[in-house]
Amino acid sequence: IPIKIFGSKRGTVPLTYRLASQIYEAADAGFRQHEIIELLDTKKELVRYAVKHRKEVERDIINQLRVLYNNSRVRRPYRDLSLLR
């Protein structure tokens, strides 16, 4: 299920939870927005939206990761392998 769908003359582009998770991981690693756009080969509108709405989207991702990994220690909106041991 996409978070938001962005439209253009060439079709639609969805912002998925997977892409949002990758955007947050890159941002936490120190990448700037223009670098994230290039790194993930995505549109600036998607990155801007994900960053602007991080608080809400991040909460959803973290809750889903907690369920998926059956681990209440998940604190980041992306896979932190050190918590899975």
Side-chain angles (χ1 to χ4, degrees):
I1 299 173
I3 298 167
K4 183 168 176 66
I5 298 175
F6 294 84
S8 70
K9 292 180 182 179
R10 297 184 197 143
T12 60
V13 182
L15 174 59
T16 63
Y17 285 99
R18 177 181 180 180
L19 179 57
S21 178
Q22 292 171 329
I23 290 168
Y24 301 146
E25 185 173 15
D28 289 353
F31 288 88
R32 294 190 170 115
Q33 283 190 30
H34 69 277
E35 294 170 321
I36 295 170
I37 292 164
E38 186 176 334
L39 175 71
L40 299 176
D41 190 28
T42 192
K43 306 282 185 195
K44 67 181 175 183
E45 294 82 13
L46 277 72
V47 174
R48 286 182 180 170
Y49 185 90
V51 169
K52 183 177 180 181
H53 295 90
R54 181 170 180 160
K55 187 175 182 178
E56 311 93 74
V57 175
E58 180 178 64
R59 181 177 53 240
D60 291 342
I61 294 170
I62 290 170
N63 287 335
Q64 291 303 314
L65 289 174
R66 286 177 177 166
V67 170
L68 180 65
Y69 293 112
N70 192 25
N71 189 330
S72 61
R73 296 185 308 156
V74 173
R75 301 277 186 259
R76 300 184 193 281
Y78 44 85
R79 209 168 33 169
D80 182 352
L81 298 178
S82 67
L83 294 177
L84 302 179
R85 294 182 185 158

